[in-house]
Amino acid sequence: RVPTGPLSLLLALSLLSPRGSAGASCPPRCVCASNLLSCSQANLSAVPAPLPRFTAVLDLSHNNVTRLRADWAPARLPHLHALLLSHNGLTFVSTEAFAHVPRLRHLDLSSNRLRTLDENLFSDLGELEVLLLYNNEITTVDRTAFENLGRLRKLYLGQNRISRFPLELLREGTRLPQLALLDLSANRLRAVPAGELQALPAWLRDRLYLHNNPLACDCLLFQLLDRGHRRHLSAVVDFQDELRCVLPGAPASIKILALAGQQPLNCSKAQEAVLEAHLGDSVTLGCDSRWQGVRSRHWVTPGGERVLGDGGNGSMVLLANGSLQLQALRPEDAGTYACWVAGPLLNETLYVELLVHNFTLHGPHDTLNTAYTTLVGCILSVVLVLIYLYLTPCRCCCCRGTEKPPAPRDDSINSSVLSTTPNHAGGTGEPCGSHITSSAGTGQNGRFKGGGTPPLPARQGPKAQRKVSDPDSVSSVFSDTPIVV
């Protein structure tokens, strides 16, 4: 039975429409399928309006939309997560163009004619994950253009005219903490901070593309790429022939990985992971895997001990990020440590060599450095010289040049050297000039010769001076004569 009447006619027309029930809300020259709107190759010069509120994917590629103004989406599109605007000849994008699409996760602006990325251009896209800007004419990138892109994972900027990219955005993951791919290939970069790039995690260096740039040859750059080649990083291995640099005065570029041992730079290969420390130090061994989604990891010590948690004596601790912390280093802690990583696709093993130095010979543990030690030595030398010159004790002026004669002794070979009788010199307390010394029998410096016999002084009074040693002395230990009192 065929329905009749105006209502029945509208129902029949809607059933015969090729776009089904969504045909009434689909923009002209576009194809709608559920929440997908395809307006590609429709010869559009502006974004069609109105756009359905349920739109999740909007394809406007291969058209003539040269300017993306702030009012291209007058109403909020809460479900839009993919916007494709490639091959449109875009020359201008408003900083407010994405205010009504906060849920956008995929934005394709490739193959256009954009020249600058202005300040806070993408700051409204807090959930953006993939941004395609390759094959444009970009020369200037403002460091705040990617502000608030905390979830951005892939950024394609290849085939542009960029001479300097703010790589400080990658430092410590402050601006782009989730970034896992950065394509800067085929630009005009002449130098890159190789030291800062080496400090980046390996999972980011694995997708940091720098090929087809007129880079200046540098040994730090060579060592950066050489480490990446040995680690099998895809950004180096897959494009090693396109990674070239220019030497001063050279007519053509050469391969960066061919700089080892070649003049004029004569670059040397760098060791992969060598860490130096001193006795008693605390160090952290990093497990720099090129896999971002690591399922599990563990360490193996030089002695073959497997570390899963705290060490046996508490000196080894496995941190939450996979690093191994060693406390109070000992000489036996030196050696090669292995970190075993179970990645999402393949497993990986990393090796870290630890050198432990004696703190008394190296580095910051020296109590006195060389300059301070030299200064202290010079000061002590001056003080000792002054003490020698001014504080050395000396004899009285009247006695200078003379010496007190030794006690008289007999020339007998039997004189006792062990006599208990003290030797007294006569005339104690007399002035220096009263002593009369004889030149006979004296040797050098006024001393008596060993074989000489000193003259006996004259007796003075009943208490005459006793000879120093006498064979008949009652105190002689060699005498056979009995002691008589």
Side-chain angles (χ1 to χ4, degrees):
R1 182 179 181 181
V2 179
T4 59
L7 183 60
S8 300
L9 181 60
L10 290 176
L11 180 60
L13 291 175
S14 63
L15 292 174
L16 294 175
S17 174
R19 297 184 178 90
S21 61
S25 59
C26 189
R29 291 181 287 183
C30 296
V31 178
C32 302
S34 182
N35 58 356
L36 308 180
L37 273 70
S38 175
C39 304
S40 179
Q41 298 181 356
N43 197 23
L44 299 174
S45 58
V47 179
L51 292 173
R53 194 173 183 271
F54 56 80
T55 303
V57 178
L58 178 57
D59 184 5
L60 294 170
S61 61
H62 297 275
N63 281 288
N64 298 318
V65 183
T66 59
R67 300 177 68 86
L68 190 65
R69 302 180 184 273
D71 58 352
W72 72 273
R76 187 179 180 89
L77 300 175
H79 303 287
L80 186 66
H81 62 79
L83 177 59
L84 312 178
L85 281 165
S86 62
H87 298 278
N88 268 279
L90 270 174
T91 59
F92 171 77
V93 176
S94 173
T95 56
E96 300 177 357
F98 308 106
H100 290 164
V101 287
R103 300 293 181 86
L104 204 62
R105 298 196 304 269
H106 184 101
L107 177 58
D108 186 0
L109 297 174
S110 63
S111 300
N112 283 292
R113 300 179 61 185
L114 298 175
R115 295 187 177 181
T116 61
L117 299 181
D118 296 328
E119 180 181 1
N120 296 318
L121 180 59
F122 306 106
S123 59
D124 292 326
L125 301 176
E127 297 185 10
L128 191 65
E129 298 179 2
V130 180
L131 178 56
L132 284 72
L133 290 164
Y134 63 86
N135 194 24
N136 275 276
E137 301 175 3
I138 301 173
T139 58
T140 306
V141 179
D142 191 275
R143 66 179 58 191
T144 64
F146 308 104
E147 197 76 25
N148 299 329
L149 298 186
R151 296 187 180 181
L152 187 65
R153 298 182 59 254
K154 298 179 181 181
L155 177 57
Y156 294 87
L157 284 165
Q159 299 182 26
N160 279 283
R161 303 175 183 177
I162 302 173
S163 58
R164 184 191 178 278
F165 179 80
L167 289 171
E168 57 268 20
L169 298 179
L170 309 179
R171 187 183 305 144
E172 299 177 0
T174 54
R175 299 289 184 88
L176 303 173
Q178 300 294 328
L179 191 65
L181 185 151
L182 175 58
D183 180 14
L184 292 173
S185 62
N187 276 280
R188 298 180 179 179
L189 298 175
R190 296 186 179 275
V192 292
E196 295 185 11
L197 296 182
Q198 181 60 41
L200 296 176
W203 51 263
L204 178 54
R205 286 184 282 121
D206 189 40
R207 295 291 189 272
L208 178 58
Y209 299 98
L210 297 171
H211 55 277
N212 290 332
N213 275 284
L215 297 170
C217 293
D218 181 75
C219 286
L220 292 179
L221 178 62
F222 161 74
Q223 293 174 355
L224 170 69
L225 298 181
D226 183 57
R227 290 190 183 99
H229 188 267
R230 284 185 287 174
R231 290 286 303 274
H232 302 286
L233 302 184
S234 59
V236 179
V237 175
D238 296 342
F239 299 95
Q240 54 184 316
D241 293 334
E242 288 80 13
L243 284 166
R244 309 181 70 87
C245 64
V246 180
L247 285 169
S253 61
I254 63 173
K255 293 182 181 180
I256 298 178
L257 294 177
L259 288 176
Q262 289 192 8
Q263 298 298 331
L265 297 180
N266 195 21
C267 298
S268 59
K269 294 182 178 293
Q271 295 180 347
E272 173 59 27
V274 177
L275 184 62
E276 298 188 20
H278 303 83
L279 292 179
D281 281 352
S282 295
V283 297
T284 301
L285 309 182
C287 189
D288 189 20
S289 174
R290 60 193 176 105
W291 304 119
Q292 191 173 8
V294 175
R295 297 196 305 268
S296 63
R297 70 185 88 197
H298 67 271
W299 285 84
V300 177
T301 66
E305 178 185 359
R306 184 172 179 176
V307 182
L308 296 175
D310 294 345
N313 55 2
S315 61
M316 298 183 184
V317 179
L318 184 62
L319 304 180
N321 61 356
S323 301
L324 181 65
Q325 186 180 66
L326 304 178
Q327 301 174 354
L329 288 179
R330 303 164 298 172
E332 55 267 26
D333 292 331
T336 302
Y337 292 77
C339 179
W340 297 76
V341 179
L345 300 177
L346 297 173
N347 296 336
E348 185 179 14
T349 304
L350 305 176
Y351 298 94
V352 180
E353 183 179 359
L354 177 62
L355 304 178
V356 180
H357 299 293
N358 192 332
F359 69 90
T360 60
L361 300 178
H362 300 277
H365 296 274
D366 288 338
T367 56
L368 295 176
N369 56 31
T370 304
Y372 184 69
T373 305
T374 305
L375 178 61
V376 172
C378 293
I379 294 175
L380 291 178
S381 300
V382 173
V383 171
L384 291 177
V385 170
L386 293 177
I387 291 176
Y388 177 78
L389 292 177
Y390 296 101
L391 300 181
T392 303
C394 61
R395 298 184 180 90
C396 60
C397 59
C398 62
C399 300
R400 189 169 297 172
T402 63
E403 291 187 1
K404 182 179 179 180
R409 58 187 180 131
D410 196 359
D411 55 354
S412 173
I413 62 174
N414 295 324
S415 61
S416 174
V417 296
L418 300 176
S419 174
T420 58
T421 305
N423 296 329
H424 300 281
T428 58
E430 296 179 1
C432 299
S434 64
H435 292 281
I436 302 174
T437 59
S438 173
S439 61
T442 60
Q444 191 177 6
N445 297 328
R447 297 183 181 275
F448 290 103
K449 296 180 179 179
T453 303
L456 298 177
R459 295 178 180 270
Q460 299 178 0
K463 294 181 180 181
Q465 183 179 8
R466 182 181 300 174
K467 290 192 298 182
V468 177
S469 179
D470 194 337
D472 297 333
S473 173
V474 296
S475 61
S476 174
V477 297
F478 295 102
S479 175
D480 295 334
T481 306
I483 300 175
V484 180
V485 179

